[in-house]
Amino acid sequence: MGTGTDTDHVVPPVAAVRRIRADDAARMRALRLEMLADSPLAFIERLADAAARPLHEYAERAARSAVGDLIAQFVAETGPTSFVAHAGAHVWRDDPSVSVLFAVYISPAWRGRNLLAELVDAVAAWSRAAGRPELLLEVVVGNDRAIRAYQRLGFADTGVRLPHPTRPDLTELQMRRPA
């Protein structure tokens, strides 16, 4: 039973998924630092390195990812000041018919709200429009929560195992699905 206050029936805020724009550098930097602080094993870069990188480098990357079909980044935003989720993709060097997802992240307070599906759908639409009918990703073996989430979205384990790019004690597994 409610208390009769205005907060009893508050509708949770909505996050809109869209492709990054060239002017999103400052918000992307803030989210990148959050990503690395929250989930350091999931990303190749170290937090200290990302924090030391000048804003113009974030701006250059945002500009490259905002247009074209070689690389793209998608974000979920809750308003003009913050991003709460991210997924990027680029052409796979081993097969130009595949887009590789990278840097998939959802802020803890926003997990479980279907943002992963929305981000993957946005990447998949971009990939199909670029003529790439498949998506590929790598996830650390043992990150069962992420693996299950990707399986729910149609990704299947390819059986390929790779060494983690920065942690020799970890292994990554590859997953694929149609775009």
Side-chain angles (χ1 to χ4, degrees), residues 42-114:
F43 308 105
I44 297 169
E45 186 175 34
R46 293 178 331 130
L47 177 59
D49 296 335
R53 189 169 346 116
L55 187 60
H56 75 85
E57 289 184 21
Y58 287 93
E60 290 165 4
R61 185 167 189 176
R64 282 192 313 271
S65 298
V67 296
D69 61 1
L70 298 179
I71 187 168
Q73 293 183 65
F74 295 87
V75 291
E77 64 183 345
T78 58
T81 60
S82 68
F83 292 151
V84 297
H86 174 273
H90 61 81
V91 177
W92 191 22
R93 69 183 176 283
D94 294 343
D95 184 346
S97 70
V98 176
S99 292
V100 178
L101 269 80
F102 67 87
V104 178
Y105 177 77
I106 299 170
S107 294
W110 287 86
R111 293 175 186 157
R113 297 190 193 194
N114 204 39

Side-chain angles (χ1 to χ4, degrees), residues 3-4 34 38 41 48-49 77 94 106 108 119 122 133 142 161 164 166:
T3 61
E34 176 187 327
D38 181 66
L41 291 181
D49 296 335
E77 64 183 345
D94 294 343
I106 299 170
L119 288 165
R161 299 295 182 268
H164 189 277
T166 61

Side-chain angles (χ1 to χ4, degrees), residues 141-153:
V141 171
N143 187 348
D144 296 334
R145 181 180 55 112
I147 293 167
R148 284 190 306 273
Y150 290 129
Q151 287 172 330
R152 283 191 296 273
L153 296 177

